[in-house]
Amino acid sequence: MKYKRQFPGASPYKDRHGVRRWRYRKGAFSRELGTDYGSEEFLRRYEAAQTEHRTGRKAGAGASQTVPESINDLVASYYRTPEWRGLAELTTKTYRGIIEPFRVEHGTKLVARIERKHVMAILGKKADTPAAANNLRKRLGQLFDHAIALDWIKSNPARLTKAYKIAGDGFHTWNEVEIGQYFQHHAQGTVPHTAVTLMLYTGAARVDAVALGWANIKETAEGPRLQYRRQKTQKSNGILVSIPIHPDLWAVIGDLPKDRPFLATAYGKGRSAAGLGNKMREWCDIAQLPECSAHGLRKACARRLAEAGATAHEIMSITGHKTLAEVQRYTEAALREGLADSAMEKLLSRPNREQTVVNLQARFATNSTNHLKGE
């Protein structure tokens, strides 16, 4: 439900008078949040309960009050914006995991006192993990953009900093040798084989792959199609992915049970995205592929499409990407390789190639002789 996405740990109940109240509960820890869901008082109590549960220390009367225009105040306000409430559940969970540690450490500081040098110092603590530093920088950029909208500050100190350079290209993209090696260790009919085939021929992310099943197969005049809406974009109308089913994929899923997801557990239950990620790590390790991961299959799907000559927009229709920036890297790389091949073919097929090579050899030999003579 929505409250679980916005305020993890908060749940409703009815007291003995039938009044709906809210409680923050984590295991045996429990604190009352009042009756006015989402109000300033609710948020103050929620923050205090989170802090107490995390630190084991109960905030005093003065400390429990949020300092106006502080980081705590900014984060609480940001969590109430349409922008935040429009994010998918998985996205809010990920963002909270970045924002909350920052809020815990700097929550009492006034937003107006945060300068570029302070943000640089905060990010500098994560210099050894540049991807994490860049993710924090993005979230701070959003928070301080909100502060500008509230007229608390005039400029965004996070956007005045530079992103950290990351070696490589993110998650490793599976190549054909690695794909073949994986299938040598995981035969058709096994869940490991089905999982990789499903993601490789759909480009589906883990969170979408675990939910796919026969309910997503639609019969059309042209043949069966696989249709689903990406969970990451559900709050923004959900990008609809509708793709014809490749014969290799159909050979794998065609005989799977129709009463459960394609990647169901041995008990017929659906898997979580995190659970699939953990199993993928195990399956890749068995195949001796330490660099490969589930996300790399999504990139491998895009790579294959690009190498087959698909345009960036055609790849987007398969993978469900929202912007061209990501998929253009695959098409440009494939295009460069193709241009290099065609260019070399032109060089090799030029007229009088044999005579030209002979002439070059003679010229270099002559130059070498003249050089030895001291001319």
Side-chain angles (χ1 to χ4, degrees), residues 292-357:
C292 295
S293 66
H295 191 85
L297 285 169
R298 181 166 164 77
K299 298 176 73 173
C301 175
R303 172 187 58 77
R304 278 185 164 186
L305 291 167
E307 290 173 352
T311 66
H313 284 92
E314 287 173 334
I315 295 174
M316 288 175 65
S317 70
I318 301 292
T319 62
H321 281 100
K322 292 182 67 176
T323 63
L324 285 170
E326 181 71 15
V327 295
Q328 278 180 330
R329 291 189 299 167
Y330 302 110
T331 55
E332 289 171 358
L335 181 61
R336 282 195 298 273
E337 186 174 339
L339 288 174
D341 291 344
S342 62
M344 187 58 69
E345 287 175 3
K346 291 176 181 178
L347 179 62
L348 295 173
S349 62
R350 63 184 294 182
N352 301 322
R353 171 174 171 266
E354 295 178 354
Q355 180 180 353
T356 302
V357 172

Side-chain angles (χ1 to χ4, degrees), residues 72-370:
N72 277 331
D73 197 10
L74 177 63
V75 172
S77 177
Y78 180 63
Y79 285 164
R80 298 193 299 272
T81 63
E83 176 188 354
W84 177 265
R85 295 178 183 273
L87 296 174
E89 179 181 357
L90 180 65
T91 304
T92 58
K93 182 179 180 180
T94 301
Y95 285 8
R96 277 186 183 275
I98 299 171
I99 293 173
E100 287 303 311
F102 166 75
R103 183 184 68 81
V104 169
E105 185 174 356
H106 304 282
T108 59
K109 297 176 182 177
L110 293 177
V111 173
R113 299 277 183 88
I114 305 295
E115 301 177 7
R116 174 176 173 269
K117 62 181 180 182
H118 300 131
V119 176
M120 291 178 63
I122 293 169
L123 297 178
K125 294 180 179 180
K126 295 181 176 291
D128 292 338
T129 53
N134 288 340
N135 285 334
L136 174 59
R137 179 176 175 271
K138 291 177 183 178
R139 304 291 77 79
L140 294 183
Q142 293 172 318
L143 283 173
F144 289 121
D145 277 347
H146 181 56
I148 292 175
L150 295 172
D151 288 330
W152 292 3
I153 54 177
K154 298 300 182 183
S155 63
N156 189 320
R159 300 200 184 281
L160 297 177
T161 63
K162 293 183 179 180
Y164 283 81
K165 291 183 178 180
I166 301 176
D169 191 28
F171 290 97
H172 171 70
T173 304
W174 294 47
N175 58 44
E176 296 306 314
V177 173
E178 290 166 335
I179 293 171
Q181 183 173 324
Y182 181 91
F183 286 139
Q184 286 177 356
H185 287 80
H186 302 290
Q188 184 171 340
T190 64
V191 176
H193 186 286
T194 301
V196 166
T197 304
L198 181 64
M199 289 185 280
L200 189 60
Y201 283 95
T202 63
R206 286 180 306 164
V207 68
D208 297 313
V210 295
L212 295 177
W214 282 96
N216 301 99
I217 305 298
K218 309 298 179 184
E219 293 292 341
T220 68
E222 294 76 22
R225 301 179 71 87
L226 188 144
Q227 296 182 356
Y228 69 96
R229 291 191 181 275
R230 291 201 64 203
Q231 290 196 33
K232 189 175 181 179
T233 61
Q234 278 186 347
K235 286 292 185 176
S236 56
N237 296 324
I239 294 177
L240 176 65
V241 177
S242 177
I243 58 178
I245 301 177
H246 192 280
D248 290 352
L249 176 58
W250 190 250
V252 170
I253 66 174
D255 294 327
L256 292 179
K258 292 182 169 57
D259 61 344
R260 62 195 65 183
F262 293 139
L263 302 182
T265 67
Y267 301 101
K269 304 296 183 181
R271 298 177 188 271
S272 66
L276 176 59
N278 293 335
K279 296 302 293 185
M280 278 296 305
R281 179 71 274 135
E282 293 179 19
W283 299 333
C284 288
D285 288 344
I286 291 173
Q288 299 179 357
L289 298 171
E291 294 185 349
C292 295
S293 66
H295 191 85
L297 285 169
R298 181 166 164 77
K299 298 176 73 173
C301 175
R303 172 187 58 77
R304 278 185 164 186
L305 291 167
E307 290 173 352
T311 66
H313 284 92
E314 287 173 334
I315 295 174
M316 288 175 65
S317 70
I318 301 292
T319 62
H321 281 100
K322 292 182 67 176
T323 63
L324 285 170
E326 181 71 15
V327 295
Q328 278 180 330
R329 291 189 299 167
Y330 302 110
T331 55
E332 289 171 358
L335 181 61
R336 282 195 298 273
E337 186 174 339
L339 288 174
D341 291 344
S342 62
M344 187 58 69
E345 287 175 3
K346 291 176 181 178
L347 179 62
L348 295 173
S349 62
R350 63 184 294 182
N352 301 322
R353 171 174 171 266
E354 295 178 354
Q355 180 180 353
T356 302
V357 172
V358 171
N359 290 340
L360 284 172
Q361 290 175 336
R363 179 163 62 83
F364 286 136
T366 301
N367 289 342
S368 300
T369 303
N370 292 338

